[in-house]
Amino acid sequence: MPGTEAFPPLFDEFDAVTPAKWREHVESDLGGTAPEAFLEWSSVEGVSLPAYLSPDALQNVSHTDPESTLPLADAADTPAGAWSVCQSIRHPDPEVAGKHARAAVDGGADALEIAPSSALSDESGVALRSKADLAQILDGIDPTNASVHLHGGPAAPALYALLRDYLSGGPLEPEAISGAVLYDPVAALASGTAPDRAFSLADDLVADAAEMPQFRTVTVDTSVYHDAGASAVWELACALGALAERLARRTEQARSLPPLLNNLQVRVPVSTSYFVEMAKLRALRLLVPQVIDAFAPAASAPLDVAPADVCVHAVTSRRTETIYDPHVNMLRATTEAMAAVLGGTDALTIRPYDKAVRPPDEFGLRIARNTQLILRHEAHFDHVADPAAGSYYIETLTDQLARRAWTQFQDLEAEGGIVDCLRDGRLHEQISATRDERRRALNERDQVLVGTTHYPALNERRRDDLVVPNPPPTNGESPAPLNASSVDALRTALRDGHSLQEVTSALPSASSGVSPLPRIRLADEIEAIRLRTERYAESQDGPPRFLLAPLGPPAIRSARANFCRNFLGVAGFAIEEPLKFDSVGAVADAAAQQGADAVVLCSSDNEYVDLAPALAAALSDGGPDALLGIAGAPGDIDVDDADFFVHQDSPLGNTLTALQDDLGIPTDETS
């Protein structure tokens, strides 16, 4: 390594070590075992990297060749890695939503994402009815400085029409407004909410872009696939499939492609798998230009889109959010935000930490916003363009994700395209398999959701906190038939006094033959178990009581009691964990005094042969009618007295549900 007078070379005194020599030393230190045996990594993405990488790893990664490929980021930007801080505005009351919007802009946000309430969504949104409501939100905000993003799913074209109507005749020039309308007709189809004229309305948005040249009107949104549990590879493949569908339809109609491409953005959720998500965004930039190149021969103008030209809007994952210990969502969102920024996103929306629990408040919005501002101003994440460039690990992972996604995309196209694969259910099957694998990993505790599937807050209660979003307001009457054949028609209906909800309702959604992809959170099945306990506790004197009984050797009894506390606490049971007991009689006395519903013996396997029958006898001899559990695997313990076992290989959800059944906890509200 070259040095200077102030900083002399550090490693010149060491001999260079080849990868083969390094491996020889590692295997020697491991007793002749290959390092892969200790550093094996696999994921639902189907991508597996070696235990270690050297400079040779980049020889087969074509996108790292500066002589033949374009960079993934534009280093001429100032700052080089800048991104737009976007704040989601979703409070149901337009007046409160306006306060949130002004606080966001005053607090450092560069963009606002406005989401209206919808009967088709399980999340809160602004109850927008007219441009007067929109004016309340934008009052005091200069949309020429703060971008406006319209997030409405199938309602997005109508929301865009409302914005156009709001701008017409006002002091603001539409051509000065920046932002985007987040409408993807393929995603709407996949979610089961696509209006009949989904693609023609999307084409209208493209045509209308000339009136607002800084406003992106074309979106490819992978949220619907991500929220259904798709892998990063399938998210990328679906993004390419949706883009190809739009380009193919436009080509068939002999329409110019540049108006669509010049207004394109890709909206991508980012999960907590830090390096995979970082590589996913980088792979997206590599793949989108390849899809566009395939349509170049039929285009009426040159299609020159480089990886750095692809506009990416990342959003933190709904899929990873939990309702229990929701403050942990702040940490998850920070990890996701870091991956998005290091992956090169152009805009980022961080969901408030309690979004899965209730409509956002000022605190949740401020934390979401400040997370980005810390990354920008204190961590200086905006000082380097594509900081992952050159990393053996990230570049190799980017390459593998891109290659696998391209193969899956080709398979989609060979089977008729993404729309056909949605209609016949083939895409559902692929995503379902990955979703089931994610569920299995949580149930078998191969993966952890902190505070929900492990390390629960034992005394936490959330049932009363959960707020079901209100449906958009109506007057109780069926809306009169409206002309909803185009964006212009939607604008006319709004000018004639029809509400946003009435205009949206005029976009009929006939059966498309597509079963909607499910929208999940990974925690929801485990959370349902705890909510079941909470519901039962409301009708009883609290939740079922579990007494942990540490007996025998200190080290093993303590470890097993700690394990049982974390395992059983996931279901919301009340856990009593004394430091130790001196005898089974003391355990039985404590169980009787506390009215325990279950007692879990925590000791060593050898001790159970004597302790378990003695404790069972003590509990039945005038003690409470309590279940007896053993902390350990039944195959290792010759005991016939236990009602249940808890151990490392116990499936979490199945075990806890079985315990609830044994305790007589009803499964629903009506039981």
Side-chain angles (χ1 to χ4, degrees), residues 351-637:
R351 292 168 56 90
Y353 77 98
D354 55 351
K355 188 70 184 67
V357 179
R358 52 180 168 257
D361 58 17
E362 292 181 5
F363 177 75
L365 291 169
R366 181 168 62 85
I367 293 298
R369 183 172 65 250
N370 284 349
T371 299
Q372 296 203 53
L373 297 178
I374 286 175
L375 294 181
R376 173 185 287 178
H377 297 294
E378 297 188 29
H380 309 298
F381 272 41
D382 63 344
H383 279 29
V384 179
D386 193 10
S391 163
Y392 310 149
Y393 186 88
I394 301 300
E395 294 288 22
T396 302
L397 186 54
T398 300
D399 181 69
Q400 289 201 20
L401 284 178
R403 291 179 184 276
R404 285 186 59 83
W406 188 257
T407 298
Q408 302 289 16
F409 164 62
Q410 289 179 313
D411 290 344
L412 280 178
E413 292 300 293
E415 293 175 357
I418 190 171
V419 171
D420 282 354
C421 289
L422 283 168
R423 287 199 172 111
D424 64 20
R426 282 172 289 175
L427 186 56
H428 296 67
E429 292 176 3
Q430 293 287 349
I431 294 177
S432 176
T434 306
R435 181 173 63 253
D436 291 345
E437 174 60 20
R438 295 187 191 278
R439 299 285 202 195
R440 182 210 60 78
L442 283 180
N443 189 45
E444 297 183 10
R445 303 176 70 253
D446 293 335
Q447 298 292 328
V448 166
L449 286 173
V450 174
T452 298
T453 68
H454 202 28
Y455 310 115
L458 297 181
N459 296 321
E460 185 178 14
R461 300 290 180 266
R462 287 292 165 194
R463 179 172 151 80
D464 292 340
D465 293 339
L466 300 180
V467 176
V468 179
N470 293 323
T474 64
N475 57 14
E477 300 177 359
S478 299
L482 297 174
N483 179 7
S485 60
S486 65
V487 171
D488 282 341
L490 297 178
R491 291 184 63 190
T492 299
L494 289 166
R495 283 196 297 268
D496 289 343
H498 294 284
S499 70
L500 180 65
Q501 284 72 35
E502 290 171 339
V503 172
T504 302
S505 298
L507 297 168
S509 182
S511 176
S512 61
V514 175
S515 299
L517 287 169
R519 193 164 186 253
I520 68 161
R521 286 181 301 103
L522 293 177
D524 53 19
E525 289 187 349
I526 300 298
E527 290 170 346
I529 295 173
R530 187 160 183 172
L531 289 170
R532 176 183 172 186
T533 300
E534 278 198 43
R535 185 171 58 246
Y536 173 77
E538 292 173 358
S539 64
Q540 305 295 319
D541 186 21
R545 298 174 178 84
F546 278 64
L547 174 65
L548 305 186
L551 284 164
I556 188 66
R557 77 186 183 208
S558 176
R560 284 183 160 171
N562 181 65
F563 173 82
C564 288
R565 181 187 67 246
N566 281 318
F567 190 102
L568 298 170
V570 166
F573 300 138
I575 310 294
E576 291 292 335
E577 184 187 6
L579 185 62
K580 67 173 183 176
F581 284 103
D582 295 324
S583 66
V584 294
V587 175
D589 290 343
Q593 182 179 5
Q594 297 173 16
D597 298 286
V599 177
V600 185
L601 183 56
C602 303
S603 188
S604 67
D605 292 350
N606 293 333
E607 298 284 337
Y608 287 142
V609 176
D610 296 324
L611 290 177
L615 181 55
L619 290 173
S620 62
D621 186 16
D625 185 18
L627 299 174
L628 176 59
I630 298 290
D636 301 329
I637 306 166

Side-chain angles (χ1 to χ4, degrees), residues 292-366:
I292 295 171
D293 285 345
F295 289 86
S300 58
L303 305 179
D304 186 14
V305 178
D309 297 332
V310 180
C311 180
V312 178
H313 186 152
V315 58
T316 55
S317 175
R318 175 188 183 273
R319 192 175 70 193
T320 61
E321 292 174 349
T322 61
I323 64 174
Y324 286 99
D325 209 353
H327 291 89
V328 177
N329 292 328
M330 296 182 190
L331 308 179
R332 296 187 181 102
T334 300
T335 299
E336 293 163 353
M338 290 170 62
V341 173
L342 295 178
T345 190
D346 296 291
L348 174 61
T349 299
I350 293 183
R351 292 168 56 90
Y353 77 98
D354 55 351
K355 188 70 184 67
V357 179
R358 52 180 168 257
D361 58 17
E362 292 181 5
F363 177 75
L365 291 169
R366 181 168 62 85

